[in-house]
């Protein structure tokens, strides 16, 4: 069974601070996706990374895929209250798990004004 | 209009009752999924379907069943609801042929189910 461990589970910070969320596994993934979920809504895709060592930037958010494709991180610079939400990482693989995603437990981020 | 819709959005029911949650999509995607979300556990896959004639169990299918009535409709049933099935339920779609090359998923707004 493939597992994705996210840390921290909870993060409460002040506006303007930087933060990093980690997503780790002992398994190799062919792709790693990050989603953001707001209360009362479903998760929304932020980014997909597929190459070991890949870095993608989305405004103040920076996503990195580990060289061995077993881990990923999400870094937010100068967090704003609008960044508040649940962040989920999800890994995709081939073989018998083709077409399915394995989700991490999620990180609840609260950014205080 | 939302691409993936779920009904009902909220449901309170009693132990032993049969419940059906419905999902419809206008994205034209072939693949549809049902997940449940519990605090601290992320999203866990219940069932998934790659087309109308294809139904597969996920990691937590016990106590649940599904029906793929059409490409656009995928229903989840709880034959005899129990309190530990209280959770948020999400439907999702994907389709590599339509651009979600790595099975990126598009979620509905969720159904909050409470079993008393």
């Amino acid at each position: 069974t493939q597992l994705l461990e996210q840390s921290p589970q909870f993060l409460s910070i002040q506006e303007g601070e930087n933060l990093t969320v980690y997503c780790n596994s002992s398994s190799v993934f062919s792709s790693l996706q990050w989603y953001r979920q707001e209360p009362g809504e479903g998760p929304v895709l932020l980014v997909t990374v597929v190459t070991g060592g890949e870095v993608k930037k989305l405004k103040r958010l920076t996503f990195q895929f580990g060289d061995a494709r077993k881990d990923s991180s999400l870094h937010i610079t100068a967090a704003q209250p609008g960044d508040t939400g649940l962040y989920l990482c999800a890994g995709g693989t081939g073989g018998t798990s083709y077409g399915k995603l394995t989700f991490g437990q999620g990180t609840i981020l609260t950014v205080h004004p | 209009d939302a691409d993936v819709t779920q009904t009902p959005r909220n449901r309170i029911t009693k132990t032993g009752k049969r419940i059906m949650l419905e999902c419809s999509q206008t994205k034209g995607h072939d693949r549809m999924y049902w997940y449940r979300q519990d605090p601290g556990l992320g999203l866990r896959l219940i069932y998934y379907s790659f087309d109308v004639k294809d139904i597969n169990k996920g990691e937590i299918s016990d106590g649940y069943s599904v029906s793929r009535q059409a490409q656009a409709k995928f229903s989840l049933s709880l034959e005899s609801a129990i309190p530990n099935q209280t959770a948020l339920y999400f439907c999702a779609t994907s389709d590599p042929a339509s651009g979600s090359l790595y099975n990126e998923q598009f979620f509905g707004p969720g159904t909050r189910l409470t079993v008393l």
Side-chain angles (χ1 to χ4, degrees):
Chain A
T1 303
Q2 297 173 309
L3 293 174
L4 273 171
E5 298 286 339
Q6 270 187 253
S7 61
Q9 189 174 353
F10 301 95
L11 203 48
S12 179
I13 62 172
Q14 293 297 126
E15 182 175 1
E17 293 183 5
N18 301 332
L19 66 111
T20 302
V21 177
Y22 299 93
C23 180
N24 296 299
S25 177
S26 58
S27 302
V28 174
F29 291 96
S30 57
S31 70
L32 203 295
Q33 301 164 22
W34 285 91
Y35 293 79
R36 179 167 165 255
Q37 183 181 1
E38 298 191 31
E41 299 180 9
V44 175
L45 179 70
L46 295 173
V47 77
T48 302
V49 285
V50 299
T51 305
E54 182 176 3
V55 176
K56 281 192 174 179
K57 292 191 175 184
L58 189 65
K59 296 183 180 179
R60 294 175 293 100
L61 279 60
T62 302
F63 304 86
Q64 186 163 6
F65 202 11
D67 291 340
R69 291 184 293 145
K70 294 182 178 181
D71 56 87
S72 181
S73 64
L74 158 60
H75 182 79
I76 301 179
T77 303
Q80 298 177 359
D83 296 326
T84 293
L86 173 67
Y87 289 81
L88 293 158
C89 64
T93 60
T96 57
S97 296
Y98 177 71
K100 298 187 291 184
L101 295 177
T102 298
F103 281 86
Q105 316 98 304
T107 295
I108 297 175
L109 171 64
T110 304
V111 183
H112 301 281
Chain B
D1 288 340
D3 294 320
V4 183
T5 57
Q6 293 184 234
T7 56
R9 292 294 313 276
N10 289 281
R11 182 72 184 267
I12 300 174
T13 190
K14 294 182 178 180
T15 298
K17 294 291 187 181
R18 185 177 187 275
I19 296 296
M20 179 179 286
L21 309 183
E22 300 190 353
C23 177
S24 294
Q25 53 115 346
T26 59
K27 300 184 75 67
H29 286 177
D30 284 333
R31 298 179 182 180
M32 297 187 74
Y33 305 78
W34 274 106
Y35 293 91
R36 68 175 276 174
Q37 186 175 46
D38 300 275
L41 294 178
L43 289 164
R44 293 183 291 167
L45 184 63
I46 305 172
Y47 271 94
Y48 62 105
S49 169
F50 282 1
D51 63 44
V52 174
K53 297 180 181 179
D54 176 76
I55 302 289
N56 303 282
K57 293 183 177 181
E59 60 181 303
I60 55 164
S61 59
D62 287 348
Y64 302 94
S65 63
V66 292
S67 173
R68 184 83 184 263
Q69 301 94 321
Q71 186 205 37
K73 296 185 182 295
F74 194 34
S75 300
L76 176 71
S77 294
L78 287 67
E79 297 300 326
S80 180
I82 56 178
N84 77 358
Q85 291 178 312
T86 293
L88 264 174
Y89 289 85
F90 287 100
C91 173
T93 73
S94 75
D95 193 338
S98 300
S100 52
L101 189 61
Y102 295 96
N103 208 45
E104 292 91 337
Q105 304 202 352
F106 299 85
F107 287 84
T111 294
R112 182 173 295 278
L113 177 66
T114 302
V115 183
L116 302 176

